[in-house]
Amino acid sequence: MVAAPASAAPSSVEVEVHTDIAYAPAQPSTSRGHLLDLYVPGKYGGTKRPLLIFTGGSGWLEDDGKEVAQDIAPYFNAAGYVVAGVSTRSSVQATFPAQVHDIKAAIRWLRANALTYGIDSSRFAVMGDSSGGWTAAMAGVTGDVRHLEGTVGVTGVSSKVQAVVDLYGPADFLQMDERMLPGACAAFNQIFGLSNCHNDPRSPESLLVGCAIQECPDRVRAANPIAYVSRNDPPFLIAHGQDDTIVPHHQSELLFRALKGACVSATFYSVPGVGHSPEIVSPDNQPAAVTSTRNCRVVDPHRQPSQPTFDTIRAFLDRALG
């Protein structure tokens, strides 16, 4: 993730850092997938602050998604947010829906312990990039889906979030290959040691669901956030690079279209000249094509910022979380 400008994260903000908090017992015992880090701005002591949860992407191949939160924490701490970096289990350690169970367990733990860290339990946002964007989206649309709660860690507490930031995450795995940019599958195969792009039995998506995605459509459908979209979902900010050679831009188009159809407030930033990269939040990018909908109505794009920068994301969170 692009680090925030130094001017946006003044050194006068004192931050308490709590690392490697176990929100559930390790499973398996060597896993780091049930750990979180907390960055708590001390100068806001006595005031309940909103929480931004971040989980980084790895194609579900790693269990260290919490690490990237240290890069975004200075900016959002300075803006008055508590930041939590959350790890979930890799697909090698556990297949879907374990990753959804994990992010929900982390949300429940954070809500159960909100008072300890000065967190407002009614103002939770979740953000992620790539497979972490998928995790964030799944958390956002499954707040009322009981069969995806799981039994990991703290139970009996709400796992709902009040805002979602999805940076170039996948959604419908079965539509990925047909929308890959020319030549992108060859590069994708080389990166991951595959022969059949996302449809390969050893692709990140196939490993996640535990089968070659074209051979188990029901499992793939269960891992598609679009399948759970409803009018009660929290506001979304989605950003995707038009030159993405890993996760097709079309994936975010599909998710935004579903949110719009369900009258969920959502804004989609389609960023030219950017690939599958955390640089999507850079203010140096070209202006994005912006589409926004609120209360079943399309919002004038000229009323929206032209780039999905940290400032844009913060303004979205401030509005969504009140």
Side-chain angles (χ1 to χ4, degrees):
M1 179 63 63
V2 175
S7 61
S11 59
S12 59
V13 176
E14 296 181 1
V15 178
E16 295 178 3
V17 181
H18 307 267
T19 60
D20 292 336
I21 298 172
Y23 64 84
Q27 186 183 2
S29 61
T30 57
S31 172
R32 298 171 294 173
H34 287 162
L35 297 177
L36 63 82
D37 297 338
L38 269 176
Y39 303 84
V40 183
K43 84 170 193 174
Y44 293 91
T47 302
K48 290 184 179 180
R49 294 146 296 190
L51 173 70
L52 175 60
I53 299 164
F54 186 89
T55 184
S58 65
W60 305 281
L61 299 175
E62 303 293 340
D63 61 356
D64 60 354
K66 71 184 179 68
E67 301 299 327
V68 184
Q70 64 185 325
D71 296 328
I72 72 166
Y75 177 84
F76 289 98
N77 285 158
Y81 283 78
V82 176
V83 175
V86 171
S87 293
T88 61
R89 285 171 289 176
S90 71
S91 58
V92 175
Q93 296 165 345
T95 56
F96 173 85
Q99 293 71 23
V100 178
H101 292 170
D102 291 350
I103 191 65
K104 284 176 163 287
I107 293 167
R108 293 194 301 265
W109 187 94
L110 287 160
R111 184 161 274 126
N113 292 276
L115 185 61
T116 301
Y117 298 101
I119 298 170
D120 186 338
S121 62
S122 67
R123 294 192 290 166
F124 276 33
V126 62
M127 173 178 172
D129 64 333
S130 193
S131 60
W134 170 89
T135 304
M138 287 295 290
V141 299
T142 62
D144 293 318
V145 181
R146 285 198 170 189
H147 73 269
L148 284 179
E149 284 298 314
T151 57
V152 175
V154 174
T155 58
V157 181
S158 173
S159 65
K160 288 185 179 181
V161 296
Q162 286 69 54
V164 177
V165 179
D166 172 7
L167 304 179
Y168 48 91
D172 187 347
F173 303 158
L174 295 179
Q175 296 195 49
M176 295 182 81
D177 279 7
E178 66 188 66
R179 295 289 184 157
M180 291 287 277
L181 293 173
C185 268
F188 185 86
N189 286 338
Q190 185 173 9
I191 291 170
F192 290 98
L194 309 175
S195 60
N196 196 26
C197 212
H198 294 282
N199 288 337
D200 195 286
R202 294 171 296 128
S203 73
E205 296 76 24
S206 295
L207 293 176
L208 174 71
V209 297
C211 53
I213 58 173
Q214 294 292 345
E215 297 177 5
C216 52
D218 289 343
R219 291 195 200 178
V220 174
R221 190 174 302 110
N224 183 350
I226 294 170
Y228 306 98
V229 168
S230 73
R231 188 164 186 162
N232 295 325
D233 292 338
F236 271 66
L237 186 152
I238 303 169
H240 211 123
Q242 295 176 11
D243 295 345
D244 196 323
T245 58
I246 302 294
V247 176
H249 179 272
H250 181 247
Q251 292 287 295
S252 287
E253 293 180 53
L254 290 172
L255 178 58
F256 176 77
R257 190 182 306 160
L259 294 167
K260 179 182 177 184
C263 294
V264 178
S265 293
T267 300
F268 177 34
Y269 288 89
S270 173
V271 187
V274 174
H276 194 79
S277 169
E279 291 295 326
I280 199 164
V281 300
S282 171
D284 297 327
N285 293 328
Q286 301 175 52
V290 186
T291 310
S292 189
T293 179
R294 291 180 197 161
N295 300 320
C296 301
R297 297 182 180 181
V298 175
V299 177
D300 182 355
H302 297 292
R303 296 175 56 190
Q304 303 297 318
S306 61
Q307 297 171 313
T309 63
F310 277 156
D311 285 347
T312 300
I313 292 170
R314 187 191 69 184
F316 160 76
L317 295 175
D318 287 349
R319 183 172 61 249
L321 302 180

